[in-house]
Amino acid sequence: MSLFAADDPGTVRRVSLVKLSSEVARSIAGIGRIVVEGEVHRPTRGIRGAVYFTLKDRAAQVSVICPSNRASRCRAVAGERVGVTGTLNWSADRGQVALIAEEVVPVGAGAIAAMIAEARRSLAADGLLDRPRRPLPRLPEVIGVICGSDAAVRADIESVVAARFPGYPVEFAEVTLSGPGAVDGICDALSWLDSRREVGVILLARGGGDATQLLPFSDESLGRAVGASSTPVVAAIGHEGDRPLCDEVADARFGTPSLAAAAVVPSRVELEADMDRLLQSAEVGLTARLGAASTRLAAVDREASIMAGLGVAERRMDRAALRLRHAHPGGRVAAAHALLVGQRRQMEALSPARVLERGYAVVRRPGGTVVRRADQVGVGDAVEVQLAAGSLGATVDEIVSGDE
């Protein structure tokens, strides 16, 4: 066997340039979706909005292209260390490999702080940080929760629900909360919950994490999505000391998911106590109103009211008859007027007041019962004698039966 077998023409595969390009493209595609860290050099923006820069490390570099439709997700600042999420692409006509970016995020505390400060300035300029906060509903029909697949956060919220109002309707939307694509997933979940009319409040919940893990919650696009939501949004990200940018845009902010859940899940015990108080208050008020109405009704002189009503009707009839007499003489109006006058006279003749004016009296027991028979009272009983004008207090001295 020759020591120079590698130089043997029989071991060399001859291919066309097109085939070579195809094989290179196929090999590169096999690498798949990757995240690469490096330093940004010579960032530029194209006419159509795409962002171009070189990602460098100590011993290597690669061209990065961020398409215009992803430019808002790509922060490319010269000299800043970033993490680029994307896929490699082989350009056959140029013979170049480029990393097509889906997302470019800063790496390191300084770069992250700079990005958050820039996003804060942008949101403040549009009035999203000092906008009026919406009140949280006391009894939302459904509570929406955006969280990760981490069982601990969901379990914390479910335990609060079980303690305050077992079985209360809660809709969980589990998404990726950190890393590439997290912001898009959170925004999509927020939009979905906001589109459901029955969802009365949305809770953004996540456990603790470092600055990089919590970075999606300081993203400008998420802040704008929270501000644009028609449903009140509550932020509960990380621990008490963690303050991502979405806290400054949300309608309410709590230190932990458990505290946030306690604020949005109503207490069944408190609601039932409030219902009992309201029912008691309504009962007391109704009793008072009924008593006042009874007092007013007892004070009404029904006979005088009837007579006054007849008087009003008679005067109206007189005016109507006068108008019709000037316009269209009619016997029906005159007949109606005569009928009304006759009925008034009959009412006056039958009126108890007219009977009393003729010398009769009405005798009542202390309770108000009218005495119609002598055996309804006993000797010594106190009675009230109602006259046409005023009344007398009397005592029964003698009872004479009507049968004698």
Side-chain angles (χ1 to χ4, degrees), residues 21-112:
S21 178
S22 176
E23 290 188 6
V24 171
R26 186 163 52 251
S27 298
I28 289 175
I31 296 175
R33 192 162 173 255
I34 55 176
V35 179
V36 183
E37 290 188 13
E39 191 173 284
V40 176
H41 283 260
R42 300 191 301 274
T44 60
R45 185 176 290 271
I47 298 176
R48 298 183 179 179
V51 177
Y52 304 88
F53 64 90
T54 300
L55 187 68
K56 278 190 172 185
D57 210 336
R58 288 181 300 175
Q61 68 179 36
V62 66
S63 297
V64 178
I65 302 174
C66 185
S68 58
N69 65 337
R70 302 297 298 177
S72 62
R73 312 264 359 105
C74 297
R75 174 183 169 83
V77 178
E80 193 171 88
R81 188 166 183 80
V82 297
V84 180
T85 301
T87 55
L88 289 170
N89 179 71
W90 165 255
S91 176
D93 55 344
R94 295 185 180 181
Q96 295 178 343
V97 174
L99 179 58
I100 308 301
E102 301 173 10
E103 187 174 83
V104 178
V105 296
V107 176
I112 290 175

Side-chain angles (χ1 to χ4, degrees), residues 157-177:
I157 295 174
E158 289 176 335
S159 66
V160 172
V161 174
R164 291 181 63 81
F165 202 129
Y168 203 88
V170 179
E171 183 70 54
F172 287 92
E174 295 185 349
V175 297
T176 300
L177 299 182

Side-chain angles (χ1 to χ4, degrees), residues 273-289:
D274 288 345
M275 289 290 292
D276 290 340
R277 284 194 295 269
L278 289 173
L279 288 174
Q280 291 175 1
S281 177
E283 184 178 357
V284 171
L286 181 59
T287 301
R289 294 188 65 177

Side-chain angles (χ1 to χ4, degrees), residues 61-298:
Q61 68 179 36
V62 66
S63 297
V64 178
I65 302 174
C66 185
S68 58
N69 65 337
R70 302 297 298 177
S72 62
R73 312 264 359 105
C74 297
R75 174 183 169 83
V77 178
E80 193 171 88
R81 188 166 183 80
V82 297
V84 180
T85 301
T87 55
L88 289 170
N89 179 71
W90 165 255
S91 176
D93 55 344
R94 295 185 180 181
Q96 295 178 343
V97 174
L99 179 58
I100 308 301
E102 301 173 10
E103 187 174 83
V104 178
V105 296
V107 176
I112 290 175
M115 189 203 80
I116 294 176
E118 182 180 326
R120 180 181 286 107
R121 286 193 295 270
S122 179
L123 294 175
D126 291 338
L128 291 175
L129 299 187
D130 57 0
R131 67 184 180 87
R133 268 37 180 184
R134 293 161 293 192
L136 304 183
R138 187 182 183 192
L139 196 65
E141 185 177 347
V142 175
I143 298 172
V145 177
I146 299 175
C147 63
S149 57
D150 178 12
V153 171
R154 178 163 181 165
D156 287 346
I157 295 174
E158 289 176 335
S159 66
V160 172
V161 174
R164 291 181 63 81
F165 202 129
Y168 203 88
V170 179
E171 183 70 54
F172 287 92
E174 295 185 349
V175 297
T176 300
L177 299 182
S178 62
V183 174
D184 291 337
I186 298 169
C187 289
D188 289 345
L190 181 62
S191 176
W192 175 66
L193 289 173
D194 186 39
S195 68
R196 297 181 56 179
R197 297 175 61 88
E198 68 273 18
V199 175
V201 63
I202 299 173
L203 174 59
L204 291 176
R206 180 204 157 97
D210 58 29
T212 302
Q213 291 173 322
L214 298 182
L215 188 57
F217 293 96
S218 292
D219 189 89
E220 180 181 342
S221 60
L222 177 58
R224 294 187 179 279
V226 171
S229 172
S230 60
T231 307
V233 178
V234 175
I237 309 302
H239 300 302
E240 184 60 41
D242 299 319
R243 297 302 298 266
L245 190 54
C246 69
D247 284 1
E248 302 179 37
V249 187
D251 295 285
R253 182 261 176 190
F254 295 91
T256 66
S258 296
L259 291 175
V264 300
V265 178
S267 169
R268 179 165 185 163
V269 173
E270 293 176 3
L271 288 173
E272 290 175 347
D274 288 345
M275 289 290 292
D276 290 340
R277 284 194 295 269
L278 289 173
L279 288 174
Q280 291 175 1
S281 177
E283 184 178 357
V284 171
L286 181 59
T287 301
R289 294 188 65 177
L290 286 174
S294 299
T295 302
R296 290 196 301 270
L297 183 60

